[in-house]
């Protein structure tokens, strides 16, 4: 598969680590950006250290961007009705305009200009996850051809 720079979103809900890594390689991903505030999981293989090791073996770089994590008190809105979802997205987007988060978005955009980057969190439904907002922000920083 020809490497195509850009950014994609991935959730690991419903997948085992082997299936997840296979999905990443099928997508041509070279860098996985973990945007969970706390990169731990009850699901085997998805905590920071274990996931980084597994990805390394598959030729995928692991990058934890804590500064792009969604605060715990904002998470319920992503599972709520349309009004709650809109509020949660808006609140989260406001957080991205601040220092470290803004720098992390710049870093992702630079990486995505060179490599295929996957932005990861747990939720399978990207519309119900804060990574949707991250992806929009990164894509806005990329040349339209790179997304």
């Amino acid at each position: 598969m020809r490497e195509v720079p850009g950014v994609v979103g991935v959730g690991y809900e419903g997948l085992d680590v082997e299936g997840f890594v296979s999905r990443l390689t099928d997508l041509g991903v070279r860098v996985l950006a973990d945007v969970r505030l706390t990169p731990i999981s009850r699901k085997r293989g998805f905590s920071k250290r274990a996931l980084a090791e597994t990805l390394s073996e598959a030729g995928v770089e692991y990058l934890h961007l804590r500064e792009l994590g969604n605060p715990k008190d904002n998470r319920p809105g992503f599972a709520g009705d349309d009004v709650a979802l809109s509020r949660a997205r808006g609140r989260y987007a406001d957080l991205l305009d601040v220092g470290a988060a803004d720098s992390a978005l710049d870093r992702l955009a630079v990486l995505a200009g060179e490599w295929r980057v996957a932005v990861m969190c747990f939720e399978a439904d990207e519309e119900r996850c804060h990574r949707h907002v991250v992806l929009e922000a990164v894509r806005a920083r990329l040349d339209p051809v790179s997304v």
Side-chain angles (χ1 to χ4, degrees), residues 81-92:
D81 62 20
D82 288 345
V83 172
L85 176 61
S86 179
R87 283 188 190 134
R89 281 184 179 170
R91 178 172 175 231
Y92 181 71

Side-chain angles (χ1 to χ4, degrees), residues 27-70:
L27 290 169
V29 170
R30 293 285 303 270
V31 179
L32 177 89
D34 185 344
V35 296
R36 297 176 292 173
L37 187 62
T38 307
I40 57 173
S41 180
R42 288 181 228 162
K43 254 188 121 145
R44 185 188 68 74
F46 287 99
S47 291
K48 183 176 182 173
R49 184 170 294 145
L51 184 57
E53 288 173 9
T54 301
L55 290 171
S56 179
E57 291 169 8
V60 177
E61 179 183 342
Y62 174 86
L63 177 63
H64 178 225
L65 295 174
R66 184 180 201 285
E67 46 286 302
L68 297 179
N70 188 24

Side-chain angles (χ1 to χ4, degrees), residues 3-7 28-31 61 110-117:
E3 289 186 19
V4 179
V7 63
V29 170
R30 293 285 303 270
V31 179
E61 179 183 342
V110 168
L111 287 169
E114 264 185 72
W115 309 104
R116 174 66 57 161
V117 176

Side-chain angles (χ1 to χ4, degrees), residues 63-141:
L63 177 63
H64 178 225
L65 295 174
R66 184 180 201 285
E67 46 286 302
L68 297 179
N70 188 24
K72 202 176 258 191
D73 65 343
N74 195 45
R75 293 176 195 164
F78 281 91
D81 62 20
D82 288 345
V83 172
L85 176 61
S86 179
R87 283 188 190 134
R89 281 184 179 170
R91 178 172 175 231
Y92 181 71
D94 289 344
L95 297 173
L96 295 182
D97 290 333
V98 183
D102 189 56
S103 295
L105 290 171
D106 285 340
R107 185 175 180 193
L108 275 177
V110 168
L111 287 169
E114 264 185 72
W115 309 104
R116 174 66 57 161
V117 176
V119 175
M120 181 204 84
C121 196
F122 171 73
E123 288 81 6
D125 182 357
E126 194 165 287
E127 296 293 318
R128 291 287 175 176
C129 182
H130 75 290
R131 78 173 176 273
H132 177 81
V133 181
V134 171
L135 290 165
E136 287 180 336
V138 171
R139 288 177 178 139
R141 294 166 192 239

